[in-house]
Amino acid sequence: MSENGLNISRRGFVAGAGATALGAGLAGCSSGTAEKEGTDLASTSPEKTAYDPEAGEWIPTTCNMCFNNCSIKAHVVDGVVVELTGNPESSIGNGHICGKGAAGIMMLYDPNRITKPMKRTNPKKGFNEDPGWEEISWDEAYDLVDSHMREAIERSGPHAVIGMSMVASQIGSLVRGSALGAIYGSAEGASSDICGTGVHQMEYLLTGTGNARPDYKYCNYVIQFGTNAGTATRHGFNMTAELFANRRAEGLRHVVFDPHMGASGEKADLWVPIRPGTDAAAALAIANVLIEEGLIDVEFLKTRTNAPSLVNVETGRILFDETAGKSLYMDADGTPKTYDKCADPQLEGSFEVNGVACKTGFTLYKERVAKYTPEYQEEITTVPAATIRQIAKELGEAAHIGETIEIDGVTLPYRPAAVDAFSGITRHKHAFHICWAVFTLNNLIGSTNSVGGFCGFGPACNGWTDDNPNMSWHPAVWEPEGLIEYDGLLLGFPGSYYQKIYESDYTPTSMNLMELQPLSEDKHFVHVSQANPDLYHTQPAEVAFCYACNPIKWWGNYDEQAEIFKNYNYVIGIDMYLNESSYFYDVILPECCYLERSEPLPHAANNHRMIGGMGNPWTIAVWQKVVEPRDGAPSSWELFSELADRAGKNAEFIGLLNKFFRVKEEYAVPMDQKLEVEAFADSVLKSNIDEEHDFAWFKEHGVYDHPRDVDEAYLWANGDAGRVPMYFDFMLEAKEKVEAKVAELGIPWETDDYEALPDWKPGCGYEVVDSDFDIIPVYHTDAINTDSWLMENPYVNEINEENPYGYTIEMNAAKAKEKGLANGDKVRLSSLEGASVEGVLATSEGVHAECVSVIGGHWGSKSKYMPRAFNKGVPVVHLIPGQTPDRLDHICSAFDQCVRVKIEKIA
């Protein structure tokens, strides 16, 4: 196969695909009508359809055009999908389908999608090298994968192979890791992208689960930092959009901090443009005003946080009762007592305990934020001081501090205000501190885990039926401070940052160095250690196994990433397209389209991409194939099952999956046979629901609902014990242990961010070191785009082409005029390191004056096998050096993507 991919128009695509499928058009448009009359699919009337709308069947299944996996229905006529819609019977989308989801039909019939395995014949690798793909049999493909994996591990051990995958296939990534571990003992992994590093950790600490959101149903005031949640993106987007829109129409006030006016900024009552990387300063200034104005929930801080903890002024460490092993608070009677025995904890004050001068954690927090006056933060963030004061007062007043509400007979605190954030604030070196400063605002007003406040997606679950608790969880309590633990995203199994911090060895066992980051969830350090193995005493991987991802584009500078991939001995790819990374693959195995495959539990435990809250039931949806896969291409589940079977590792592979999906022994599939996916799905459903609701039932009915109880939506509804941290003493414990370990190993490591209280610190690109390089590129996502492969979709591409800000560089109009630039100019962005990208300028009022903004950030495809996506969009991420540790947050592995560039007009 040469790299001269098919380059056809959207209308030509429709005509070709339609001719193949029905001898006519797709989705309500005949090819002849579209070509001859110049109409498009959206404007074609039902009378012109090439099929009988009443014919065929509507098959319930799950979308996979982004990671949210909304419930959909596929209209299938004579074995051909002719339309996709949302499934109104499911809470996962509530019958809606977004533009991406509707465009899934174009992926299914895309002639550029690969469906047969191929191997490289040209040993030279590079963006300008034709791999010389040669079609091979499946037997040869599996043999190549197996032999290179085995040889590498036999030669160099389990760290010789690194697995990579992306968030668009959460369960597929889980299966990939399980398969490589069970079959080959592979121990290395790399995180797919930057995602919510810092955000997830703070949400675990505060809500007991790694994804949280405003309690939209009852919330009246929402502040968002760096997120388009509920307007264009985020976990549970299609569950949130209608609810959030209705609440705004009913009067919810919406404030957005973001350098770019994205979907949230457009919908907001107040958009606050902010200098990138300075959100912590703004949040700490809001905290300053809340405290100074007395707009804080004192009772919540005393009873549901560790803010009253007595802290040794000299060491900064919390005092503990040596006998009980529990932290000390000062009671109103002037006696220090353990947190669980203290009747009336003192929130503020200075005391002496056994000769030790101490203050409460809240007193130290108050002292920390004192310098963050609105005026001080204005110099850092560019946000006017008056704006900060206004927002802080609105937030505090909207919180209804002291009020309660009754829900299902339970009286609960009512705090209808929330501060939310996501990935916009995580693309920075000090991301953990930024997220910490932002989310702690919810603690101050008492909205954490309160009605109308900031709550986890699925902080607790009592089971998916009234009499089967197999799928259940509830955060435990870490006894030394009474702090809530967490239950992990995706699978709901218990986890503990505190246990990791206090009990771990800290000796790194892999390239991702996770043991030195006990608060991290993301394996991002592998990008630095793979490039600098001698610096970190790590073993570089020899074979890369890339599943459903584009790792050349998911980090920083692409040329740096390309060199890493050139240095692997062998690279295996599993994908539907030949993207940029495929130019470095040695063999590629196709995965079938999501409409051609079945998978168990697309939302796993329902606590990752389902927003939760009262009125949103536990919804289990079916993912079933609606048409047969083209050329018999397998699903990832089938592919990994085949590898396990060939290796004689069925029992090991299935055993891991049984554990992850909580399969009961009486329903388990045979362990001595190759895994059959639908049979496994059947075992999962019977184990976690009941025998009636097996996979056959789901294939017919599509979805199963179980109502959510009050204590599943609000963590402390039953009066359970548990607090959340305000003073992070455990950070100081981690700092001591990390410093001791890196000193022992001779590894360079930054520990300055290990503090007990949040702070703002300048990250990369904050200072202007050369006046010509004064612009910060940022990127955003809209409702039609997610990952780079979507640009190959004709529907999505057409929308991007018609959007004046789709494939262009958006710049503040006044700033552009100041620099002698105008709308439509061809411009170049150049970094001090010598990287550059080019694009067309589109001016607006929706960008901070120091920034330019693009959609995606990783576009500008270099793959000629993806002709519609080729060279479209502006990949500003290419401007960012990605292999030095100075850009990494050493607590959570966040990657600082701020870089100052020069913008200039070119011919």
Side-chain angles (χ1 to χ4, degrees):
M1 180 178 180
S2 76
E3 65 178 3
N4 296 317
L6 296 172
N7 191 2
I8 58 178
S9 68
R10 190 264 311 177
R11 292 191 177 92
F13 176 100
V14 173
T20 301
L22 287 173
L26 290 174
C29 177
S30 73
S31 58
T33 298
E35 200 67 37
K36 295 177 183 177
E37 299 182 14
T39 57
D40 58 27
L41 298 186
S43 63
T44 306
S45 67
E47 289 74 22
K48 297 177 182 178
T49 57
Y51 60 89
D52 180 358
E54 302 300 320
E57 58 181 331
W58 287 90
I59 303 175
T61 190
T62 291
C63 182
N64 194 205
M65 294 298 281
C66 79
F67 64 23
N68 276 309
N69 295 127
C70 293
S71 298
I72 60 172
K73 286 188 172 183
H75 189 183
V76 180
V77 179
D78 297 332
V80 176
V81 178
V82 296
E83 185 179 2
L84 298 173
T85 68
N87 186 347
E89 297 169 359
S90 174
S91 71
I92 309 173
N94 297 302
H96 300 297
I97 192 169
C98 72
K100 298 185 295 293
I105 196 170
M106 306 305 277
M107 174 197 284
L108 177 63
Y109 295 113
D110 189 342
N112 292 318
R113 181 163 65 88
I114 60 171
T115 57
K116 297 179 181 179
M118 295 182 290
K119 69 179 180 181
R120 167 186 293 276
T121 60
N122 179 7
K124 294 182 179 180
K125 294 183 178 182
F127 294 122
N128 295 319
E129 294 288 344
D130 185 342
W133 291 114
E134 178 183 283
E135 196 173 293
I136 58 175
S137 69
W138 276 101
D139 280 338
E140 183 178 358
Y142 285 124
D143 286 344
L144 285 171
V145 171
D146 185 69
S147 63
H148 283 89
M149 296 276 284
R150 288 188 184 282
E151 288 169 8
I153 289 175
E154 288 172 3
R155 180 172 59 248
S156 305
H159 299 282
V161 173
I162 184 169
M164 305 177 184
S165 49
M166 69 179 293
V167 294
S169 185
Q170 294 283 323
I171 303 299
S173 296
L174 173 71
V175 176
R176 185 268 302 164
S178 302
L180 298 191
I183 301 169
Y184 304 107
S186 173
E188 286 289 355
S191 288
S192 60
D193 57 19
I194 303 151
C195 193
T197 45
V199 169
H200 293 309
Q201 287 87 338
M202 286 306 304
E203 291 177 339
Y204 276 129
L205 291 167
L206 298 183
T207 71
T209 188
N211 262 340
R213 86 289 176 223
D215 187 19
Y216 294 105
K217 183 175 181 178
Y218 296 101
C219 196
N220 295 324
Y221 195 96
V222 171
I223 299 176
Q224 292 181 326
F225 282 85
T227 180
N228 287 319
T231 57
T233 58
R234 186 67 161 100
H235 304 77
F237 161 62
N238 216 9
M239 296 181 70
T240 309
E242 183 176 21
L243 175 60
F244 194 18
N246 289 341
R247 292 295 294 116
R248 292 197 305 273
E250 293 166 357
L252 177 149
R253 183 161 171 79
H254 183 199
V255 177
V256 172
F257 286 81
D258 202 302
H260 176 260
M261 183 190 282
S264 284
E266 292 172 355
K267 303 295 184 186
D269 297 284
L270 177 63
W271 169 56
V272 184
I274 186 171
R275 180 181 284 148
T278 65
D279 307 79
L284 292 169
I286 292 173
N288 177 300
V289 176
L290 288 171
I291 292 172
E292 290 301 313
E293 296 288 334
L295 296 171
I296 60 173
D297 191 337
V298 172
E299 186 63 20
F300 179 88
L301 290 166
K302 289 167 62 173
T303 61
R304 286 301 183 183
T305 80
N306 73 344
S309 299
L310 293 174
V311 180
N312 183 320
V313 173
E314 182 178 350
T315 66
R317 300 303 302 268
I318 286 177
L319 301 184
F320 284 82
D321 181 281
E322 294 183 4
T323 302
K326 296 180 179 180
S327 57
L328 290 172
Y329 292 1
M330 183 60 70
D331 210 336
D333 62 7
T335 306
K337 300 175 183 177
T338 58
Y339 71 85
D340 56 340
K341 302 296 184 182
C342 193
D344 185 11
Q346 301 303 287
L347 185 61
E348 294 188 59
S350 299
F351 309 95
E352 184 174 308
V353 178
N354 297 327
V356 176
C358 54
K359 297 180 180 180
T360 68
F362 183 78
T363 299
L364 294 172
Y365 177 84
K366 185 176 178 180
E367 291 174 359
R368 170 61 60 91
V369 303
K371 75 173 183 180
Y372 287 97
T373 64
E375 289 74 21
Y376 176 70
Q377 72 79 41
E378 183 173 352
E379 298 176 9
I380 299 169
T381 69
T382 74
V383 177
T387 301
I388 291 293
R389 284 197 171 87
Q390 171 195 339
I391 293 170
K393 290 179 180 179
E394 289 178 352
L395 176 66
E397 291 167 358
H400 289 244
I401 293 169
E403 296 188 20
T404 60
I405 188 173
E406 186 174 300
I407 298 179
D408 289 357
V410 181
T411 300
L412 300 167
Y414 175 59
R415 302 290 179 272
V419 183
D420 194 14
F422 199 56
S423 55
I425 67 171
T426 68
R427 270 63 169 164
H428 304 292
K429 182 175 180 63
H430 306 290
F432 191 88
H433 273 264
I434 298 172
C435 298
W436 188 359
V438 167
F439 288 118
T440 297
L441 294 174
N442 292 304
N443 285 353
L444 288 177
I445 61 173
S447 72
T448 302
N449 302 319
S450 296
V451 177
F454 191 67
C455 303
F457 275 30
C461 180
N462 300 326
W464 290 347
T465 71
D466 290 334
D467 54 4
N468 182 0
N470 197 50
M471 184 63 75
S472 62
W473 60 86
H474 195 285
V477 172
W478 186 64
E479 290 297 333
E481 288 195 65
L483 302 174
I484 61 170
E485 304 275 23
Y486 69 82
D487 292 286
L489 284 179
L490 205 63
L491 297 173
F493 290 118
S496 172
Y497 286 133
Y498 308 116
Q499 184 176 351
K500 283 196 288 185
I501 288 170
Y502 284 87
E503 299 177 16
S504 295
D505 177 59
Y506 287 75
T507 301
T509 59
S510 65
M511 280 194 302
N512 54 55
L513 306 174
M514 291 292 281
E515 291 81 2
L516 294 175
Q517 307 162 81
L519 282 159
S520 182
E521 296 289 316
D522 296 285
K523 301 173 180 179
H524 294 150
F525 236 96
V526 69
H527 297 287
V528 175
S529 60
Q530 177 75 19
N532 305 280
D534 293 339
L535 186 64
Y536 293 100
H537 308 165
T538 52
Q539 175 190 335
E542 301 171 19
V543 172
F545 192 111
C546 309
Y547 163 63
C549 60
N550 192 1
I552 291 291
K553 301 292 288 284
W554 73 16
W555 190 244
N557 183 279
Y558 307 150
D559 293 331
E560 292 179 347
Q561 286 289 93
E563 290 304 310
I564 291 290
F565 272 74
K566 286 180 183 179
N567 289 329
Y568 288 124
N569 293 342
Y570 202 77
V571 184
I572 300 159
I574 299 175
D575 215 306
M576 292 188 290
Y577 291 100
L578 292 169
N579 56 30
E580 290 96 328
S581 297
S582 74
Y583 281 70
F584 302 86
Y585 293 168
D586 293 284
V587 64
I588 186 161
L589 286 65
E591 180 181 25
C592 62
C593 175
Y594 68 94
L595 294 167
E596 299 170 325
R597 65 181 188 256
S598 299
E599 293 194 10
L601 288 193
H603 289 84
N606 283 16
N607 68 342
H608 183 235
R609 287 155 288 149
M610 294 187 62
I611 63 172
M614 299 304 293
N616 287 315
W618 299 105
T619 298
I620 294 79
V622 71
W623 187 337
Q624 64 175 317
K625 67 179 180 181
V626 300
V627 291
E628 291 300 316
R630 192 194 310 174
D631 295 326
S635 70
S636 60
W637 278 80
E638 293 168 328
L639 192 153
F640 291 122
S641 298
E642 180 70 23
L643 285 171
D645 187 55
R646 287 169 176 256
K649 296 289 186 177
N650 287 322
E652 292 85 347
F653 179 51
I654 295 171
L656 276 177
L657 296 177
N658 283 344
K659 177 181 177 181
F660 290 149
F661 289 91
R662 310 182 191 221
V663 174
K664 295 179 179 179
E665 185 176 354
E666 61 265 33
Y667 300 122
V669 298
M671 303 280 281
D672 58 350
Q673 301 174 18
K674 182 170 71 173
L675 181 79
E676 200 283 314
V677 178
E678 292 197 0
F680 181 73
D682 194 69
S683 73
V684 173
L685 294 166
K686 288 177 179 177
S687 296
N688 291 294
I689 306 176
D690 54 34
E691 292 186 0
E692 175 189 352
H693 297 92
D694 57 8
F695 194 66
W697 185 94
F698 270 85
K699 289 173 74 172
E700 178 182 355
H701 296 90
V703 294
Y704 164 89
D705 284 343
H706 183 65
R708 198 177 297 254
D709 296 331
V710 176
D711 65 330
E712 295 174 308
Y714 305 109
L715 201 55
W716 297 312
N718 292 333
D720 293 346
R723 298 172 179 265
V724 296
M726 276 290 291
Y727 189 85
F728 285 29
D729 181 76
F730 52 87
M731 291 279 279
L732 303 181
E733 180 77 13
K735 179 177 184 176
E736 289 181 9
K737 294 186 174 180
V738 170
E739 288 180 341
K741 181 57 65 173
V742 297
E744 173 191 330
L745 299 175
I747 294 175
W749 202 263
E750 298 177 16
T751 59
D752 290 348
D753 279 3
Y754 279 100
E755 299 183 70
L757 294 167
D759 206 354
W760 172 79
K761 304 179 182 186
C764 301
Y766 178 75
E767 300 289 345
V768 177
V769 297
D770 184 322
S771 59
D772 289 336
F773 294 78
D774 61 340
I775 296 296
I776 301 175
V778 299
Y779 59 90
H780 62 280
T781 305
D782 60 11
I784 197 68
N785 292 285
T786 50
D787 302 300
S788 58
W789 55 270
L790 267 179
M791 297 166 59
E792 179 62 15
N793 189 291
Y795 282 3
V796 174
N797 174 62
E798 182 171 317
I799 291 172
N800 288 332
E801 288 183 333
E802 293 182 356
N803 177 2
Y805 303 106
Y807 290 138
T808 54
I809 300 173
E810 189 177 354
M811 187 176 188
N812 180 277
K815 190 69 171 183
K817 183 177 180 180
E818 177 186 316
K819 287 182 170 289
L821 301 173
N823 197 65
D825 283 350
K826 183 75 177 293
V827 297
R828 178 184 296 119
L829 303 178
S830 305
S831 71
L832 284 164
E833 290 77 15
S836 64
V837 296
E838 298 177 359
V840 176
L841 200 67
T843 60
S844 80
E845 306 299 327
V847 190
H848 190 281
E850 295 181 16
C851 301
V852 294
S853 187
V854 303
I855 301 178
H858 55 325
W859 290 359
S861 173
K862 291 177 175 289
S863 175
K864 294 180 181 178
Y865 297 108
M866 300 175 70
R868 278 177 294 280
F870 183 70
N871 207 30
K872 290 178 181 174
V874 184
V876 297
V877 171
H878 179 61
L879 301 170
I880 306 163
Q883 295 181 355
T884 56
D886 58 294
R887 285 189 168 270
L888 286 184
D889 182 312
H890 282 58
I891 294 177
C892 64
S893 280
F895 176 44
D896 199 320
Q897 293 191 307
C898 276
V899 60
R900 293 280 181 172
V901 303
K902 176 169 66 175
I903 184 169
E904 55 189 332
K905 184 177 179 178
I906 58 178

